[in-house]
Amino acid sequence: MLDKFIIAANWKMNGTPAEARSFAAELDEFIREVQPQSEIVVCPPYILLNEMHGSFKKGGQNCHHETSGAFTGEISAKMLKNAACEYVILGHSERREMGESSELIAKKAQAAKAAGVKVIFCIGEKEGEDFESVISEQLNFAVDVDVIAYEPVWAIGTGKTPSLEEINSRHKFIKDKCGLQVMYGGSANPDNAKDISALQNVGGLLVGGASLSISSFTSIIEAK
Ligand code: PEP
């Protein structure tokens, strides 16, 4: 369990070294000036992690469940730790779509915990699926995790979000089930961040598209 509201940037497969360096420098300056109460986390592609330094936390977007070995193209949780990552996003719907099972995601969470990396565990239903049954099933695998990110799959990158009432009641459902802090993800942006982050049961925001520009990401942070 974390104690602060958490605002995390998921850059996905975007960004150049120059963009990463300038984003980090501007974010660092912003945080020093504004002193936000929230925990700010930036999750760029692995090869940009060492380009980003400042008064924010860093996270990976995935990790492997083994610590080392013959796993071409993979990154272990320990490697993330060595690259100064405090967090890792696991179970993102874009990875579940590529075939990651709940069992595998749970193994990754166990590996992250063993490496001392906090897990942001993503869950969410697809359009037309029953929220309660999908979420309850996914939460069965949320064992070694620190924070949940509730991301309705149909809201990711679409500009669509559930209503504020729905977001709040769904977060309460999740919180009651697992006792963990629950972030919201899915088309969060500078226009809706204030209302969403003010909801009683929302413990953070996971931001994709709107985290790629420093001005929209800092507007989201300021909105809290
Ligand atoms: C995400 O992919 O985690 C996400 C929330 O994306 P977006 O903000 O672009 O919907």
Side-chain angles (χ1 to χ4, degrees), residues 187-196 210 216 219-220 223:
S187 297
N189 62 42
D191 297 328
N192 60 26
K194 190 174 169 56
D195 290 337
I196 296 175
S216 72
S219 299
I220 290 171

Side-chain angles (χ1 to χ4, degrees), residues 122-136:
C122 302
I123 58 173
E125 81 288 0
K126 293 186 194 152
E127 185 124 54
E129 284 184 338
D130 181 63
F131 163 78
E132 289 197 8
S133 55
V134 171
I135 291 314
S136 301

Side-chain angles (χ1 to χ4, degrees), residues 59-135:
Q61 297 175 15
N62 177 40
C63 69
H64 195 267
H65 61 280
E66 295 288 352
T67 46
S68 62
F71 301 104
T72 302
E74 295 289 345
I75 297 273
S76 71
K78 195 170 161 200
M79 289 169 175
L80 289 181
K81 184 80 179 171
N82 288 339
C85 286
E86 258 189 52
Y87 289 87
V88 62
I89 299 171
L90 293 177
H92 193 283
S93 62
E94 287 157 12
R95 298 201 60 86
R96 290 182 191 261
E97 272 297 295
M98 292 189 290
E100 281 194 10
S101 65
S102 289
E103 287 79 5
L104 178 63
I105 297 161
K107 275 171 57 178
K108 291 179 177 207
Q110 200 177 14
K113 191 180 174 102
V117 178
K118 295 186 192 112
V119 174
I120 300 173
F121 188 83
C122 302
I123 58 173
E125 81 288 0
K126 293 186 194 152
E127 185 124 54
E129 284 184 338
D130 181 63
F131 163 78
E132 289 197 8
S133 55
V134 171
I135 291 314

Side-chain angles (χ1 to χ4, degrees), residues 8-12 89 92-94 122 149-153 155-160 184-189 205-212 220:
N10 175 13
W11 271 25
K12 311 191 186 196
I89 299 171
H92 193 283
S93 62
E94 287 157 12
C122 302
Y150 169 57
E151 302 201 293
V153 178
I156 296 178
T158 59
K160 293 193 271 181
Y184 171 77
S187 297
N189 62 42
L205 295 172
L206 180 53
V207 187
S211 73
L212 290 170
I220 290 171

Side-chain angles (χ1 to χ4, degrees), residues 19-75:
E19 284 163 354
R21 284 192 295 272
S22 93
F23 183 97
E26 287 186 54
L27 183 60
D28 180 57
E29 200 183 313
F30 169 85
I31 292 172
R32 287 176 196 283
E33 225 175 86
V34 173
Q35 301 275 325
Q37 296 303 301
S38 308
E39 170 102 318
I40 310 301
V41 184
V42 182
C43 307
Y46 304 127
I47 59 161
L48 300 182
L49 282 165
N50 285 329
E51 305 287 348
M52 303 185 98
H53 305 287
S55 46
F56 49 85
K57 305 286 168 54
K58 293 194 274 193
Q61 297 175 15
N62 177 40
C63 69
H64 195 267
H65 61 280
E66 295 288 352
T67 46
S68 62
F71 301 104
T72 302
E74 295 289 345
I75 297 273

